């Protein structure tokens, strides 16, 4: 395509985008009063954190959510990482009166990060981390090649390890069978095939060092296909149960299930199961990383502790909580609980810092803070190779990472600046540890 054709295409694309925005305004904002209704209902902690891609601007989704009939009298909160998301904005805290909106929690129910502090020091690691990275990639299935048949998926276990099968049978099988009896369409066969597996590029295994040179292990993943299937089922169920009433909502994707409905208890039970699955998933991966680490550090250091400190921090979940004297069902998506002195994790990009934090219990954020940095550029607008290599050059420490066909989707320049995010949520959490990445693995 020559320069003239590119310019013509850009102009046409701009006009199309403008028309789409105008069209969405006419559909969702038929009255001026609707805009006025947002006032006092939306607490933003994202100022001075603009998104580069207009299609990632969350302001329309936030306005629709803030005027939802079930939103609390105290409104909702948008975290510094907030950006446009599938069916609902990401980086939000949504307190509801007597209802849940499955689409807000999303399809990766229970997604979060586990952080393990080890007793190892950076100086005790091998000079090159390449062999360690390859060993972790071998021991932790990641990515996916088939979502239809897990037995054919290289991101799932073709043969489930005995320890994982035992864990599944003991802690997850009975509850999942109960969900299957209540909602057969909501479950998949052999969910244990994805227990202890990573997923796609947004998820990662990382090793980092803190300000005292202690080595940490971070694992970011969720409930994989079992959780996605549950999320899809209950999102669809919410629309079906509301029927034509769903069209009276600011957005039909925000269909809700009322507390008085039988489906309400079913959703909360499924959501709890998915969170439990996701937590075990992260724990199993972290244990695998520790085992690989033992095999690759010098023999004199192999008796290190792999869990001096363990933090598990979900960021897509529902919880019944009391805020400002009222009880709500609080939905967090891309946000973590940050009650006073509660420990959490805020993840940076693969070349930038992450943070172990303590919450301040800020009331206007509903005792929450951002889970990470949030995208500023959509996946369809990949970063350039130059952007990525520049980020590597500017990193504080050499980074051992997997080169993947999809890594440009999650290149550092596609995200907001983590330092700016932490400044924006300075009243929501305090920094306890600053983590610098030294190894990173993403799926493909």
């Amino acid at each position: 395509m020559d320069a003239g054709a590119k310019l013509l295409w850009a102009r046409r694309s701009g006009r199309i985008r403008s028309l789409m925005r105008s069209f969405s305004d006419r559909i969702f904002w038929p009255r001026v009063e609707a805009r006025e209704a947002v006032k006092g209902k939306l607490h933003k902690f994202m100022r001075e954190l603009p998104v580069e891609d207009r299609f990632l601007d969350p302001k329309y989704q936030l306005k629709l959510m803030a005027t939802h009939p079930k939103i609390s009298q105290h409104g909702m909160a948008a975290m510094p990482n907030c950006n446009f998301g599938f069916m609902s904005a990401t980086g939000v805290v949504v307190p509801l009166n007597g209802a849940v909106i499955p689409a807000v929690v999303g399809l990766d129910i229970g997604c979060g990060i586990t952080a393990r502090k080890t007793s190892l020091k950076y100086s005790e690691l091998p000079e090159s981390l390449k062999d360690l990275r390859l060993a972790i990639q071998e021991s932790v299935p990641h990515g996916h090649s088939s979502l239809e048949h897990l037995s054919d998926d290289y991101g799932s276990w073709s043969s489930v390890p005995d320890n994982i099968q035992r864990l599944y049978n003991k802690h997850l099988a009975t509850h999942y069978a109960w969900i299957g009896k209540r909602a057969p369409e909501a479950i998949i066969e052999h969910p244990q095939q994805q227990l202890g597996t990573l997923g796609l590029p947004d998820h990662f295994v990382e090793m980092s060092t803190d300000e005292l040179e202690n080595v940490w292990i971070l694992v970011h993943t969720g409930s994989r296909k079992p959780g996605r299937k549950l999320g899809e089922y209950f999102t669809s169920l919410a629309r079906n149960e509301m029927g034509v009433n769903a069209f009276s909502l600011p957005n039909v994707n925000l269909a809700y299930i009322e507390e008085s409905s039988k489906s309400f208890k079913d959703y909360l039970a499924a959501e709890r199961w998915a969170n439990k699955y996701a937590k075990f998933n992260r724990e199993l991966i972290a244990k695998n990383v520790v085992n690989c680490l033992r095999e690759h550090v010098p023999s004199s250091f192999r008796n290190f502790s792999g869990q001096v400190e363990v933090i598990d921090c979900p960021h897509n979940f529902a919880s019944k909580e009391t805020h400002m004297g009222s009880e709500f069902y609080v939905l967090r998506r891309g946000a973590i609980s940050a009650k006073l002195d509660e420990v959490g994790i805020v993840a940076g990009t693969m070349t930038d810092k992450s943070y172990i934090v303590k919450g301040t219990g800020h009331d206007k954020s509903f005792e929450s803070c951002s889970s990470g940095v949030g995208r500023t550029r959509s996946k369809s607008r990949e970063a350039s190779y130059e952007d990525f290599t520049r980020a590597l050059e500017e990193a504080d420490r050499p980074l051992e990472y997997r080169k993947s066909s999809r890594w440009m989707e999650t290149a550092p320049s596609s995200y907001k600046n983590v330092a700016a995010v932490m400044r924006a949520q300075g009243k929501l959490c305090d920094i306890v540890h600053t983590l610098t990445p030294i190894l990173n693995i993403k799926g493909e």
Side-chain angles (χ1 to χ4, degrees):
M1 186 182 290
D2 60 29
K6 285 183 178 178
L7 180 60
L8 179 61
W9 171 249
R11 286 175 177 172
R12 286 178 177 172
S13 298
R15 285 198 291 270
I16 290 169
R17 292 181 182 187
S18 178
L19 284 170
M20 288 174 66
R21 288 299 193 200
S22 176
F23 181 61
S24 67
D25 266 359
R26 285 197 293 272
I27 292 175
F28 296 124
W29 298 101
R31 297 183 302 275
V32 174
E33 301 87 64
R35 287 190 176 90
E36 293 299 314
V38 175
K39 291 183 178 179
K41 288 274 190 174
L42 183 57
H43 307 293
K44 291 184 180 181
F45 297 90
M46 49 185 282
R47 289 180 174 83
E48 299 180 14
L49 283 165
V51 292
E52 179 181 323
D53 192 326
R54 287 178 59 202
F55 280 123
L56 284 180
D57 192 331
K59 65 182 179 182
Y60 291 96
Q61 284 186 322
L62 291 175
K63 287 176 181 177
L64 299 180
M65 295 166 74
T67 56
H68 194 280
K70 289 294 182 178
I71 203 78
S72 79
Q73 63 269 35
H74 304 296
M76 59 171 285
M79 300 293 101
N81 63 329
C82 186
N83 60 245
F84 185 93
F86 180 59
M87 296 191 293
S88 159
T90 297
V92 293
V93 185
V94 185
L96 300 175
N97 293 307
V100 291
I101 304 173
V104 171
V105 175
L107 302 185
D108 195 0
I109 305 170
C111 184
I113 300 177
T114 283
R116 285 188 173 212
K117 180 182 177 182
T118 75
S119 60
L120 280 172
K121 296 290 186 178
Y122 181 62
S123 60
E124 296 168 347
L125 297 176
E127 187 174 342
S128 171
L129 298 178
K130 182 177 180 179
D131 289 343
L132 172 59
R133 173 178 62 81
L134 292 173
I136 295 170
Q137 287 174 196
E138 186 68 25
S139 67
V140 178
H142 49 285
H144 77 73
S145 55
S146 171
L147 278 177
E148 295 301 320
H149 306 289
L150 297 187
S151 57
D152 300 327
D153 178 22
Y154 60 66
S156 305
W157 298 108
S158 55
S159 177
V160 180
D162 290 342
N163 66 313
I164 291 179
Q165 187 64 59
R166 287 194 299 271
L167 184 148
Y168 177 79
N169 291 343
K170 181 177 180 180
H171 297 287
L172 295 165
T174 302
H175 193 172
Y176 198 60
W178 179 86
I179 294 170
K181 288 180 181 178
R182 301 281 293 180
E185 304 92 338
I187 64 170
I188 66 168
E189 292 184 348
H190 312 302
Q192 64 270 40
Q193 284 187 278
Q194 290 202 322
L195 195 56
T197 70
L198 187 61
L200 289 175
D202 288 341
H203 295 160
F204 60 78
V205 170
E206 183 174 289
M207 285 175 53
S208 299
T209 57
D210 65 19
E211 61 282 350
L212 297 177
E213 301 287 277
N214 298 304
V215 175
W216 290 69
I217 296 166
L218 274 66
V219 178
H220 175 202
T221 190
S223 52
R224 306 289 274 115
K225 188 179 179 183
R228 181 182 183 87
K229 189 73 172 178
L230 290 169
E232 289 173 340
Y233 172 79
F234 282 100
T235 298
S236 177
L237 180 68
R239 292 196 204 105
N240 292 337
E241 285 197 350
M242 288 198 71
V244 295
N245 292 326
F247 293 97
S248 66
L249 296 172
N251 185 335
V252 293
N253 286 325
L254 300 180
Y256 57 89
I257 302 174
E258 292 200 86
E259 193 172 13
S260 57
S261 166
K262 290 181 180 178
S263 304
F264 184 87
K265 289 183 179 179
D266 290 346
Y267 175 75
L268 290 186
E271 190 267 349
R272 282 194 297 271
W273 182 89
N275 268 279
K276 194 174 182 180
Y277 183 103
K279 185 176 181 179
F280 278 128
N281 193 25
R282 293 188 287 271
E283 180 182 311
L284 287 165
I285 293 172
K287 286 181 177 178
N288 255 342
V289 175
V290 169
N291 292 337
C292 291
L293 195 50
R294 288 195 197 284
E295 295 173 3
H296 287 82
V297 296
S299 57
S300 56
F301 302 126
R302 286 181 182 169
N303 289 327
F304 72 88
S305 171
Q307 47 184 10
V308 173
E309 185 177 353
V310 179
I311 306 160
D312 189 78
C313 193
H315 50 239
N316 292 350
F317 66 103
S319 177
K320 193 173 186 179
E321 301 174 10
T322 299
H323 295 280
M324 303 180 218
S326 303
E327 194 171 61
F328 308 107
Y329 289 96
V330 178
L331 314 183
R332 291 184 177 87
R333 179 170 178 172
I336 64 173
S337 178
K339 297 179 177 66
L340 182 62
D341 292 332
E342 183 177 12
V343 180
I345 307 161
V346 180
T349 67
M350 64 184 288
T351 61
D352 216 337
K353 293 176 172 57
S354 296
Y355 297 90
I356 306 299
V357 299
K358 275 191 177 181
T360 62
H362 195 281
D363 57 351
K364 291 295 177 68
S365 74
F366 303 96
E367 298 180 306
S368 308
C369 73
S370 166
S371 65
V373 286
R375 297 189 72 93
T376 186
R377 180 185 290 168
S378 67
K379 291 182 180 180
S380 62
R381 294 185 60 200
E382 292 185 351
S384 69
Y385 180 74
E386 290 75 16
D387 287 341
F388 185 77
T389 53
R390 189 183 306 114
L392 287 174
E393 289 168 1
E394 294 172 355
D396 291 344
R397 281 208 153 125
L399 177 70
E400 177 62 42
Y401 67 100
R402 174 188 179 156
K403 296 176 177 67
S404 163
S405 60
R406 295 188 63 179
W407 55 265
M408 293 305 288
E409 291 180 7
T410 56
S413 59
S414 296
Y415 292 86
K416 297 176 183 179
N417 178 271
V418 69
V421 168
M422 295 308 292
R423 285 195 299 271
Q425 62 180 10
K427 293 182 179 180
L428 310 186
C429 61
D430 297 321
I431 296 172
V432 179
H433 293 296
T434 301
L435 307 182
T436 301
I438 56 174
L439 181 149
N440 183 281
I441 298 169
K442 296 177 182 287
E444 74 170 283

